[in-house]
């Protein structure tokens, strides 16, 4: 082996990905200094059951935002062109008619041509370009498509995670909901037993239907996951082909990839109906109190809704970006503090998609970052994410699968039992009730709105 061939071989070996053992495609370099194909590294880390680590030296890595190593990419491009020129110089690739090197690519019939053939009557009207330029262009198109496909894979992964999480929570949530309904009817006249039976019957039916929808949705997302991954792998294999094969096999692969992009299954938005409970509001109105709020409790540091969107809606993606610009939250604490008795009041939330209301500990001051973590606030939240709103309660943070209330919301506190309840006033229905002994300290009304 002469020295030039040896140097070329060593050079090409250094441009090899340690994962796929092929020439680097869209190379990225991680913290330890090792470089890999972006697609190979993304797939490797996504499938890892432990924390991400370098596939070569096993050093742990927290890196998420990969940037293309431009120098390596240029070197890979040089190496591919050198290999292409070597192939085109072979006897096998010589033009059989003119015994000339094939230098042009016909974009119409996807063939490699010599200069004389490209100017012939058969090809003169076609669009041509140098083979190395066409190969580079086709490779960039595939990489762009892979980037778009990867985003779809991550979107589907988040949706699948959300659906599976909902399925896990659903049965327990419905069980608690049924218990709350039965507890509420026990406080009402026995004449309402038939209404209670109908209410529970309707709940059972909705539970069955929604659970079926969730399982069907999960199956569709899992099937889409397989389709997306299979297409991503196909595009990866295409990228790793020598340029001559890439041009000749390109075909309709982009069109097939685009078809996989479409019809992305979306998560079910499960909602139990807000069924009226006769006499519920009449009973609570006996404890009606007038409340007022301090005018000086606005805290520009409160980012409650963005915190919820980051920590709750996307728990499997800590790197998921959320717009956390200047806070538009407006928080107020009530003037009155309640330490004994039963008290009921109503608040209107008509004009806000993001809102939170409930009670907080008398001494509680809402500093930045404390609302979600605090055990001293009992809030019902509406959080807007994309095109829908999700209800949550704090202490602990729990999602709620019930029809979103419009207009007025009732808050009922029982200081004797340490319980807080939220009511959909317009539907005369229960939204949620904290269990007894949730709090044992004086509390004040709390109200917070945000605009997004």
């Amino acid at each position: 082996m002469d020295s030039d061939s040896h140097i070329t071989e060593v050079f090409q070996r250094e441009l090899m990905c340690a994962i796929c053992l092929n020439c680097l495609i869209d190379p990225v370099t991680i913290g330890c200094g090792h470089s890999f194909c972006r697609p190979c590294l993304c797939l490797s880390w996504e499938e890892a059951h432990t924390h991400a680590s370098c596939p070569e030296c096993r050093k742990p890595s927290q890196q998420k935002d990969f940037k293309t190593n431009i120098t390596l990419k240029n070197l890979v491009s040089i190496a591919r062109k050198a290999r292409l020129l070597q192939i085109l110089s072979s006897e096998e690739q010589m033009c059989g008619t003119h015994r000339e090197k094939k230098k042009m690519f016909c974009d119409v019939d996807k063939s490699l041509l010599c200069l004389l053939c490209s100017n012939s009557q058969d090809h003169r009207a076609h669009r041509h370009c140098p083979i190395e330029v066409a190969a580079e262009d086709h490779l960039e198109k595939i990489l762009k498509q892979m980037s778009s496909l990867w985003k779809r894979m991550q979107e589907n992964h988040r949706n699948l995670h959300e659906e599976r999480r909902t399925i896990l929570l659903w049965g327990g949530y419905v069980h608690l909901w049924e218990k709350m309904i039965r507890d509420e009817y026990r406080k009402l006249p026995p004449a309402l037993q038939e209404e209670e039976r109908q209410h529970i019957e309707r709940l059972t039916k909705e539970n069955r239907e929604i659970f079926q929808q969730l399982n069907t949705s999960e199956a569709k997302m899992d099937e889409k996951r397989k389709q997306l991954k299979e297409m991503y792998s196909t595009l990866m294999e295409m990228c790793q082909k020598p340029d001559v094969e890439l041009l000749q096999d390109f075909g309709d692969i982009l069109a097939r990839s685009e078809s996989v992009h479409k019809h992305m299954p979306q998560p079910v938005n499960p909602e139990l109906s807000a069924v009226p409970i006769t006499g519920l509001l009449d009973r609570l109105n006996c404890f009606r109190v007038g409340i007022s709020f301090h005018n000086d409790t606005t805290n520009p540091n409160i980012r409650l809704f963005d915190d919820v969107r980051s920590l709750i809606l996307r728990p499997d993606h800590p790197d998921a970006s959320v717009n956390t610009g200047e806070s538009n939250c407006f928080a107020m604490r009530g003037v009155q503090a309640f330490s004994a008795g039963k008290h009921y009041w109503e608040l209107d939330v008509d004009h806000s998609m993001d809102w939170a209301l409930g009670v907080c500990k008398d001494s509680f001051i809402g500093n930045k970052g404390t609302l979600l973590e605090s055990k001293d606030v009992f809030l019902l939240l509406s959080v807007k994410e994309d095109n829908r709103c999700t209800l949550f309660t704090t202490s602990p943070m729990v999602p709620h699968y019930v029809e979103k209330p419009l207009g007025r919301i009732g808050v009922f506190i029982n200081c004797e039992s340490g319980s807080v309840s939220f009511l959909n006033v317009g539907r005369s229905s229960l939204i949620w009730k904290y269990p007894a002994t949730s709090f044992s300290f004086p509390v004040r009304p709390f109200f917070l709105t945000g605009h997004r």
Side-chain angles (χ1 to χ4, degrees):
M1 180 185 294
D2 59 45
S3 60
D4 287 344
S5 297
H6 176 68
I7 291 172
T8 301
E9 184 179 322
V10 171
F11 176 66
Q12 291 182 339
R13 191 162 58 239
E14 288 300 313
L15 297 178
M16 183 182 294
C17 172
I19 299 176
C20 66
L21 302 180
N22 287 301
C23 195
L24 287 163
I25 299 296
D26 194 10
V28 293
T29 303
I30 57 177
C32 60
H34 291 114
S35 301
F36 308 93
C37 301
R38 181 194 298 268
C40 290
L41 188 62
C42 287
L43 283 177
S44 172
W45 281 7
E46 184 183 51
E47 294 169 356
H49 297 294
T50 57
H51 293 296
S53 61
C54 172
E56 195 158 353
C57 69
R58 301 301 173 188
K59 184 177 180 179
S61 176
Q62 299 298 321
Q63 191 172 349
K64 296 290 183 181
D65 184 22
F66 302 128
K67 297 189 183 302
T68 300
N69 186 320
I70 301 298
T71 301
L72 264 183
K73 184 177 181 180
N74 291 337
L75 290 174
V76 168
S77 179
I78 292 170
R80 287 182 72 105
K81 286 177 183 177
R83 185 169 57 176
L84 174 63
L85 291 175
Q86 187 178 16
I87 292 172
L88 293 177
S89 298
S90 66
E91 184 68 24
E92 184 182 345
Q93 290 295 332
M94 295 289 282
C95 173
T97 304
H98 303 106
R99 303 307 298 166
E100 295 276 346
K101 287 183 181 181
K102 295 177 181 178
K103 295 183 177 181
M104 305 303 289
F105 176 71
C106 177
D107 197 41
V108 176
D109 60 14
K110 312 301 180 187
S111 59
L112 307 182
L113 307 170
C114 72
L115 284 172
L116 293 174
C117 285
S118 67
N119 288 316
S120 68
Q121 186 173 355
D122 291 340
H123 292 279
R124 190 176 301 154
H126 296 171
R127 186 170 61 252
H128 308 92
C129 69
I131 291 174
E132 63 269 23
V133 173
E136 191 77 21
D137 179 63
H138 281 55
L139 182 60
E140 287 301 318
K141 285 180 180 177
I142 295 176
L143 290 175
K144 184 177 179 180
Q145 191 73 355
M146 288 179 72
S147 176
S148 177
L149 198 64
W150 182 258
K151 290 176 183 176
R152 285 294 200 186
M153 289 170 68
Q154 298 308 296
E155 175 190 342
N156 188 70
H157 176 70
R158 286 193 297 270
N159 290 341
L160 183 57
H161 182 282
E162 182 179 337
E163 213 70 324
R164 286 173 173 168
R165 178 172 174 266
T166 301
I167 289 171
L168 284 173
L169 294 173
W170 182 253
Y173 181 78
V174 173
H175 176 74
L176 287 174
W177 186 259
E178 180 178 343
K179 183 177 183 301
M180 280 195 314
I181 297 303
R182 292 191 184 279
D183 287 346
E184 215 51 54
Y185 273 103
R186 276 199 288 269
K187 301 168 188 173
L188 298 170
L192 294 174
Q193 284 182 352
E194 177 58 22
E195 180 182 298
E196 177 186 1
R197 187 191 66 77
Q198 293 175 0
H199 199 149
I200 298 302
E201 199 173 84
R202 179 170 180 169
L203 177 64
T204 302
K205 181 182 178 184
E206 287 187 350
N207 171 36
R208 192 164 49 242
E209 292 173 350
I210 291 173
F211 191 67
Q212 179 60 45
Q213 291 171 16
L214 287 168
N215 280 288
T216 300
S217 175
E218 182 199 15
K220 288 180 179 178
M221 289 178 185
D222 196 47
E223 179 61 29
K224 177 60 74 171
R225 177 188 63 80
K226 295 173 184 175
Q227 292 174 4
L228 290 167
K229 188 172 181 180
E230 183 179 348
M231 178 52 66
Y232 193 81
S233 298
T234 300
L235 291 173
M236 241 175 87
E237 291 171 8
M238 181 67 73
C239 283
Q240 291 163 345
K241 288 185 176 184
D243 288 345
V244 170
E245 292 182 40
L246 183 143
L247 290 172
Q248 293 175 331
D249 297 345
F250 195 75
D252 63 347
I253 191 167
L254 293 186
R256 287 191 287 123
S257 177
E258 283 291 347
S259 69
V260 176
H261 270 69
K262 298 175 182 176
H263 311 298
M264 290 288 290
Q266 296 301 308
V268 174
N269 186 20
E271 278 189 357
L272 296 173
S273 300
V275 180
I277 298 177
T278 302
L280 176 62
L281 291 181
D282 291 338
R283 182 177 67 83
L284 296 180
N285 270 320
C286 297
F287 308 104
R288 188 89 173 233
V289 293
I291 59 168
S292 56
F293 291 95
H294 289 292
N295 294 322
D296 59 350
T297 53
T298 300
N299 188 334
N301 290 324
I302 293 178
R303 300 186 185 278
L304 175 63
F305 306 111
D306 283 334
D307 287 345
V308 175
R309 280 185 275 267
S310 294
L311 302 177
I312 301 296
L313 298 178
R314 297 181 179 177
D316 59 328
H317 283 262
D319 58 316
S321 62
V322 173
N323 180 17
T324 56
E326 185 178 349
S327 173
N328 289 320
C329 291
F330 186 78
M332 297 181 290
R333 283 196 311 145
V335 173
Q336 307 96 318
F338 301 107
S339 58
K342 301 176 183 179
H343 311 278
Y344 174 73
W345 62 90
E346 295 176 0
L347 293 169
D348 199 313
V349 296
D350 253 349
H351 303 295
S352 176
M353 301 297 284
D354 286 336
W355 49 259
L357 54 83
V359 295
C360 66
K361 192 173 184 178
D362 184 26
S363 59
F364 175 81
I365 300 175
N367 291 320
K368 183 179 180 181
T370 61
L371 279 174
L372 289 183
E373 302 163 6
S374 175
K375 297 179 180 179
D376 297 337
V377 289
F378 301 88
L379 304 177
L380 172 69
L381 302 88
S382 167
V383 182
K384 184 177 184 295
E385 175 67 6
D386 297 327
N387 296 318
R388 65 190 179 105
C389 290
T390 306
L391 295 179
F392 295 91
T393 49
T394 61
S395 301
M397 184 66 67
V398 175
H400 290 279
Y401 310 105
V402 65
E403 185 180 322
K404 182 180 180 292
L406 299 174
R408 300 185 72 78
I409 296 177
V411 182
F412 175 67
I413 60 170
N414 185 338
C415 295
E416 297 164 5
S417 65
S419 175
V420 185
S421 302
F422 299 106
L423 296 94
N424 183 335
V425 176
R427 300 302 298 270
S428 186
S429 63
L430 193 62
I431 299 172
W432 186 248
K433 179 181 178 181
Y434 282 95
T437 69
S438 292
F439 69 90
S440 58
F441 41 76
V443 294
R444 290 178 184 269
F446 185 92
F447 187 45
L448 183 146
T449 61
H451 303 282
R452 188 184 187 221

